[in-house]
Amino acid sequence: MNHLDTHNEHTMAALPIGQADDAILRAVNRFNYMTAAQVGRLLYPSACDENRYVQRRLRRLAKANYLLRLRELPTPRIGSAPHVFTLADQGRKYLSSRGVLLTSPYYRPSEERQKAVDNPFMEHTLAAVDVLVAAETLCRDYVVAMPCLLTERQLKRMNVRVQPAGRPKASLTAVIPDAWFVLTVGAQDPVCIALELDRGTEGQQHWRRKVAALVAWAEGPYREAFHADNLTVAVVVPTIARRVQLADWTHDELAAIDRTELGDIFLFTEASPVATDPFEFFFDPLWRSAAQTAFVSLLDAPQPAVLEDTPVEPIETLPASVEDAEDFPWALMDEGVEREIE
């Protein structure tokens, strides 16, 4: 071990990991990839500092090898390009030492950097994370739980292959949604959701093959592999026109393979999981099925809670300006660390 390695190891070992850093590491492990904006929406929804505090936290963790900072995404028309972060060696060791199950069994920095070079892949992946962050936020603010979540990376390892329904000459097709997760609302039955993020690039034939494969998956290995008895294929699209187009293609394919009764499991929305309030995204009628029925909600709204005459302690909110909040008792800010990260 050379002098630089010794110095880095000493720096990593000396880094204090408190509640805020712990929450960030757990979130990045759960979703695989995150930007500062996504971490901010999840952990600091009331902050008004344009994610500067979160960015400092992430840089600090990346410098100590708890996180790997990947290349910037393509520069947008307005603003700067965000970095993407994933869990690195020290972060993996830290979480493992606390009994946290790692969502990825191995870590190779070179492979992660190569994935980041693939802009369509990374942008698609982060779009899926936006939906998952909205779901996690919903669980934090309402009587909703997410007892199970499998990201695309985890689903790939399951290697589920099917013969597309109605296509006897087609080769076996791998079914890999962008995520699969379960949401429970109060005492209601759990709702199992296979997430598909569409960016308007797939043609009709490709999409219809995907629908046929999803039908075969739902009718075949799905129940046993996921220990689930229901399925909603939630498709998030960029525009109203694309939503109408995919719904029409799905309806046509279901009719062609004699599966029109499954039209209601395919739900489409053009609502943005970032711009739309999480409650509205999941509970408002923003989704249209392939059966072309009325707009529906992804989840049934929870029943109003029965209020009791019990005093409720107020929840502290973030100040309007994080930069000027030296004395603010952050819910996820650790004493003794704040001066170091500034």
Side-chain angles (χ1 to χ4, degrees):
M1 181 179 295
N2 59 36
H3 173 72
L4 180 59
D5 291 336
T6 304
H7 173 73
N8 287 342
E9 182 175 327
H10 175 74
T11 301
M12 294 171 194
L15 181 68
I17 299 296
Q19 185 182 1
D21 296 320
D22 181 274
I24 290 173
L25 293 173
R26 289 172 186 266
V28 175
N29 174 59
R30 187 165 170 80
F31 302 128
N32 295 152
Y33 302 99
M34 296 189 80
T35 64
Q38 290 171 333
V39 173
R41 287 200 303 276
L42 180 64
L43 300 178
Y44 302 96
S46 300
C48 301
D49 69 333
E50 298 180 345
N51 298 310
R52 286 190 292 272
Y53 170 73
V54 172
Q55 289 167 355
R56 293 199 299 271
R57 282 268 178 199
L58 293 172
R59 284 197 299 269
R60 172 176 174 269
L61 289 168
K63 183 177 180 181
N65 200 34
Y66 282 78
L67 294 176
L68 177 66
R69 186 170 72 169
L70 303 173
R71 65 182 289 273
E72 296 176 345
L73 293 174
T75 303
R77 186 172 62 86
I78 299 176
S80 58
H83 281 96
V84 181
F85 294 84
T86 192
L87 208 60
D89 278 328
Q90 291 299 117
R92 294 170 63 85
K93 292 176 183 178
Y94 168 82
L95 292 178
S96 294
S97 70
R98 280 151 180 77
V100 177
L101 181 65
L102 298 178
T103 57
S104 179
Y106 67 93
Y107 165 69
R108 294 189 177 93
S110 59
E111 290 187 9
E112 297 298 341
R113 292 190 178 96
Q114 186 59 39
K115 290 177 184 177
V117 173
D118 185 349
N119 290 330
F121 163 80
M122 188 54 68
E123 291 175 354
H124 188 93
T125 298
L126 292 174
V129 173
D130 283 334
V131 176
L132 299 178
V133 167
E136 191 79 21
T137 301
L138 189 76
C139 296
R140 180 192 64 209
D141 296 339
Y142 300 94
V143 187
V144 181
M146 184 160 52
C148 186
L149 163 64
L150 296 174
T151 62
E152 183 183 21
R153 175 182 287 186
Q154 293 168 297
L155 293 168
K156 284 181 179 178
R157 295 201 298 269
M158 297 178 71
N159 195 29
V160 178
R161 293 179 177 273
V162 299
Q163 180 82 38
R167 296 170 181 260
K169 296 183 180 180
S171 58
L172 292 179
T173 301
V175 178
I176 309 171
D178 295 315
W180 180 86
F181 57 103
V182 180
L183 292 175
T184 60
V185 182
Q188 298 177 21
D189 292 335
V191 177
C192 303
I193 299 171
L195 177 65
E196 288 287 344
L197 262 297
D198 173 77
R199 301 183 68 81
T201 58
E202 292 184 1
Q204 179 173 181
Q205 293 306 313
H206 187 279
W207 177 258
R208 290 182 61 161
R209 283 196 299 270
K210 177 180 286 188
V211 170
L214 285 167
V215 167
W217 181 61
E219 294 181 333
Y222 170 74
R223 291 175 185 269
E224 182 177 353
F226 291 83
H227 305 288
D229 61 2
N230 71 82
L231 175 65
T232 297
V233 180
V235 186
V236 181
V237 302
T239 64
I240 294 175
R242 183 63 171 175
R243 187 249 299 160
V244 173
Q245 185 179 60
L246 288 190
D248 286 345
W249 290 350
T250 302
H251 179 269
D252 292 345
E253 181 62 23
L254 294 176
I257 61 177
D258 196 24
R259 297 294 195 283
T260 54
E261 71 277 7
L262 297 181
D264 285 332
I265 75 170
F266 290 89
L267 298 182
F268 303 83
T269 188
E270 70 278 6
S272 164
V274 176
T276 308
D277 179 84
F279 186 93
E280 296 174 0
F281 187 79
F282 287 96
F283 290 119
D284 279 9
L286 302 176
W287 302 76
R288 191 79 176 263
S289 77
Q292 299 297 316
T293 54
F295 281 94
V296 297
S297 61
L298 196 58
L299 301 174
D300 292 332
Q303 296 296 320
V306 178
L307 300 179
E308 299 179 357
D309 294 331
T310 304
V312 179
E313 294 184 3
I315 299 175
E316 291 176 324
T317 57
L318 301 182
S321 174
V322 175
E323 297 297 326
D324 300 330
E326 297 179 357
D327 299 325
F328 184 79
W330 289 81
L332 288 176
M333 185 179 286
D334 310 309
E335 295 182 3
V337 179
E338 192 56 24
R339 186 174 300 277
E340 177 184 344
I341 68 173
E342 291 188 351

